[in-house]
Amino acid sequence: MSQSVLLTIARASIEEVLQAQTSIDRIELLENYPVLSQPMECEITLYLDNQLRGSARTTSLSRPLLEEIIHNAKIAAFQDEQFDPLVTSEYLHTTIKLTLFTPDGALSHQSEPILKG
């Protein structure tokens, strides 16, 4: 599975809240990427201007990876108690780091901000 798919899911999760509409097609994603239906620990970390802006990590393996990515992205953006909820102007400049915790070790992928500067 492409790292961009995972990061796209994370970004879309945040956008769903900012735009107040559902856009993630869970059925299609699970059909195209069966690994998303398996439980797996993950962490979403947000950075704004290279500074931590929010973070959330899986605390149990009760949900499939797809739901963990969606849940953790929303928690990191809007419910991290160390920060105010993310606003659109910040989101556009936010870097997202997604880390999967596999039996072989941690795998991290990072997206660039939508707008730089």
Side-chain angles (χ1 to χ4, degrees), residues 70-87:
I70 292 168
H71 175 78
N72 289 343
K74 290 178 180 181
I75 294 295
F78 305 107
Q79 295 178 358
D80 185 322
E81 294 178 1
Q82 298 178 18
F83 302 95
D84 290 332
L86 192 71
V87 296

Side-chain angles (χ1 to χ4, degrees), residues 4 11 14 16 31 34 38 49 53 59 65 74 86 88 95-96 98 100 104 106 110 117:
S4 64
R11 279 213 178 270
I14 296 169
E16 280 189 339
E31 287 175 358
Q38 299 174 9
D49 298 325
R53 180 57 181 83
T59 56
L65 178 58
K74 290 178 180 181
L86 192 71
T88 302
T95 298
I96 298 175
L98 184 146
L100 299 176
D104 295 329
Q110 188 166 303

Side-chain angles (χ1 to χ4, degrees), residues 7 10 14 42-48 51-57 72-73 76-77 80 94-99 101 108-111:
L7 291 168
I14 296 169
C42 76
E43 180 177 43
I44 303 287
T45 309
L46 307 179
Y47 296 95
L48 183 61
Q51 299 292 318
L52 180 65
R53 180 57 181 83
S55 182
R57 182 172 175 171
N72 289 343
D80 185 322
T94 299
T95 298
I96 298 175
K97 179 180 177 184
L98 184 146
T99 304
F101 299 95
S108 293
H109 308 287
Q110 188 166 303
S111 74

